Amino acid sequence: MSKRVKKHRLKRPLNTYVAQISITTLVITCLTSCILVCGGILFFYQGAFTGEVVLLSCIIVCSLTMIIGGFLIAFGTRHLTAPIIEVSNAAKEIAQGNFQVEIPREEKSNPSYEYVDEIDELADHFNRMAKELNRMDYMRKEFMSNVSHEVKTPAAAITGFTEILIDGGLTEEEEKEYLALVNEESIRLSSLCENMLRMSRLDNQVIVGIKDYIRIDEQLRKAAILLSDKWQGKQIDFEVKLEENRIMTNQDLLLEVWINLIDNAIKYSNEGGSISISEYRRENRIIVEIADEGIGMKKEKIPKIFDQFYQCEESHKKKGNGLGLSIVKRIVHMLSGEISCESEYGKGTRMTVSLPDEEHSF
């Protein structure tokens, strides 16, 4: 077996580099000055060595040392100041709103260290920051574009329907129909605003109060009961396989996860379809699977379903705003869990939530 090489953080710390430059400069300048002075005395001075001659020689040696050393230090520090100037220029670009800037780094020839020096480490962290800011800027623009589109659609519909109602000349049945459409679009707009506020709160929430010791099976049954009007209207059957597993978690946030997932399963199920809910323990985790036999999704769309405002063609057939699964994923991650999706177009979707049990259980 090959011996594992210990990886160091820095190849050469800056204090070591500056010390090497200083010592090298002093040695080179002193030797050069001594050689020049001694050579000059040897070839050009024919008189006796007196105290004045020795003092003059020392003054000349010191003067040459300072002059030559100054040039060498100025040349050597260019290597130190050049990357600092690059970082400063890049920071100026960031301040002006250009997040696509990147500081070039020295290629590593030895894998036993992470960075050449502290400036190289700073450049790496700066590049990561710039990429993250660029990603956040893109997400912000995309978010504003999506919000604008999602808000504009129901707002335009409400405006159009109310203008028709104001103009009058409609039968009582037509008025009721348009009022029902206005009400439907108002509810959609209200739901969008509510989900946006909820997503904003979750994004800014760092600490989650995990203080509820609950039974997962009871909470899943409660979520299904709360949605009974929806699944009874579509005559959906439930296949339930639940174990009596307890977990320490945040009750309200977790209930919101089950309501969202079961609501989606109902929404995309066919009339008279079936939804299965299973919950069991696997090692130190609680696994919950919610599967439907509805319209499903194409494989290439599955990785995007947790993105904010993402709606595939299948979801556009139903009412939604593309924030539900984003909220679910955020909550699951806040509870130190994981969520995944399996789906096949025309056959249904299975959502799997895995929650830690060992850390928070009694």
Side-chain angles (χ1 to χ4, degrees):
M1 295 178 62
S2 59
K3 186 177 180 181
R4 186 176 180 181
V5 180
K6 184 179 179 181
K7 195 170 186 179
H8 300 280
R9 187 171 67 91
L10 301 175
K11 176 184 178 181
R12 182 186 59 233
L14 282 179
N15 57 350
T16 303
Y17 172 73
V18 172
Q20 290 175 345
I21 289 292
S22 302
I23 294 172
T24 303
T25 301
L26 287 173
V27 171
I28 291 175
T29 52
C30 287
L31 288 176
T32 303
S33 301
C34 290
I35 291 173
L36 289 175
V37 172
C38 292
I41 293 174
L42 181 64
F43 290 102
F44 301 106
Y45 182 72
Q46 302 296 329
F49 285 97
T50 62
E52 290 79 3
V53 173
V54 173
L55 179 61
L56 180 62
S57 300
C58 291
I59 293 173
I60 295 174
V61 168
C62 292
S63 301
L64 288 174
T65 299
M66 288 188 290
I67 295 172
I68 298 173
F71 281 108
L72 288 178
I73 290 175
F75 179 79
T77 52
R78 285 186 181 181
H79 179 73
L80 183 64
T81 57
I84 296 177
I85 294 173
E86 289 181 349
V87 173
S88 176
N89 293 334
K92 188 183 297 183
E93 292 290 325
I94 291 287
Q96 293 174 354
N98 178 19
F99 302 126
Q100 296 182 346
V101 64
E102 183 176 3
I103 302 174
R105 295 176 57 206
E106 181 181 337
E107 293 186 4
K108 295 190 300 182
S109 58
N110 190 343
S112 63
Y113 59 87
E114 295 184 50
Y115 307 102
V116 176
D117 50 34
E118 287 89 347
I119 296 179
D120 184 47
E121 183 179 12
L122 174 63
D124 180 58
H125 294 330
F126 188 95
N127 290 339
R128 293 184 185 181
M129 179 194 70
K131 289 179 181 178
E132 184 65 19
L133 287 173
N134 187 48
R135 185 184 69 85
M136 292 176 64
D137 184 60
Y138 173 80
M139 290 177 62
R140 179 184 62 82
K141 292 177 181 177
E142 187 74 11
F143 179 81
M144 294 303 298
S145 175
N146 288 326
V147 168
S148 175
H149 172 74
E150 293 292 337
V151 171
K152 184 169 61 177
T153 302
I158 292 171
T159 302
F161 293 142
T162 52
E163 287 177 352
I164 294 173
L165 290 168
I166 291 171
D167 291 339
L170 302 174
T171 65
E172 184 178 350
E173 184 178 348
E174 288 175 333
E175 286 183 355
K176 289 182 178 180
E177 181 181 353
Y178 282 118
L179 285 172
L181 291 172
V182 170
N183 181 64
E184 183 179 327
E185 292 300 324
S186 299
I187 293 174
R188 180 182 171 190
L189 186 59
S190 175
S191 175
L192 172 63
C193 294
E194 184 180 346
N195 282 335
M196 287 171 56
L197 289 173
R198 184 181 291 112
M199 194 70 199
S200 177
R201 286 196 299 267
L202 292 173
D203 283 339
N204 290 283
Q205 185 174 351
V206 178
I207 300 175
V208 180
I210 300 177
K211 57 182 180 180
D212 305 310
Y213 190 51
I214 65 169
R215 275 178 48 179
I216 299 294
D217 58 317
E218 290 181 352
Q219 199 173 53
L220 287 166
R221 290 190 183 95
K222 180 179 178 180
I225 293 172
L226 290 173
L227 298 168
S228 58
D229 289 343
K230 293 187 177 182
W231 56 263
Q232 286 177 355
K234 297 182 74 171
Q235 298 180 345
I236 294 175
D237 292 328
F238 276 84
E239 297 179 6
V240 180
K241 297 180 180 179
L242 305 177
E243 298 178 0
E244 296 184 2
N245 290 314
R246 295 179 179 270
I247 188 174
M248 182 69 74
T249 186
N250 186 293
Q251 179 175 343
D252 295 334
L253 289 178
L254 192 58
L255 180 61
E256 190 171 348
V257 170
W258 308 138
I259 291 176
N260 267 285
L261 294 180
I262 296 175
D263 184 45
N264 271 358
I266 296 171
K267 187 185 300 181
Y268 300 114
S269 291
N270 301 316
E271 294 282 342
S274 176
I275 295 175
S276 68
I277 303 177
S278 59
E279 175 254 335
Y280 54 91
R281 184 190 303 273
R282 179 185 294 168
E283 295 180 352
N284 295 322
R285 303 189 75 83
I286 302 297
I287 311 297
V288 176
E289 296 179 353
I290 301 174
D292 63 70
E293 298 175 350
I295 56 180
M297 293 174 287
K298 297 177 181 178
K299 291 184 177 180
E300 62 270 17
K301 297 173 183 177
I302 295 176
K304 301 178 182 179
I305 63 172
F306 296 107
D307 295 345
Q308 294 182 16
F309 293 107
Y310 178 77
Q311 291 179 289
C312 55
E313 290 82 354
E314 295 81 5
S315 64
H316 279 300
K317 300 175 184 177
K318 311 291 180 181
K319 297 298 181 182
N321 48 50
L323 283 175
L325 287 179
S326 298
I327 292 173
V328 166
K329 183 177 180 180
R330 174 61 177 158
I331 292 175
V332 171
H333 283 182
M334 288 171 65
L335 298 177
S336 302
E338 298 174 358
I339 183 169
S340 61
C341 174
E342 298 176 16
S343 185
E344 188 173 351
Y345 186 68
K347 293 188 177 182
T349 301
R350 178 183 300 274
M351 304 296 295
T352 303
V353 177
S354 171
L355 297 170
D357 179 47
E358 181 182 32
E359 183 178 356
H360 305 301
S361 61
F362 289 138

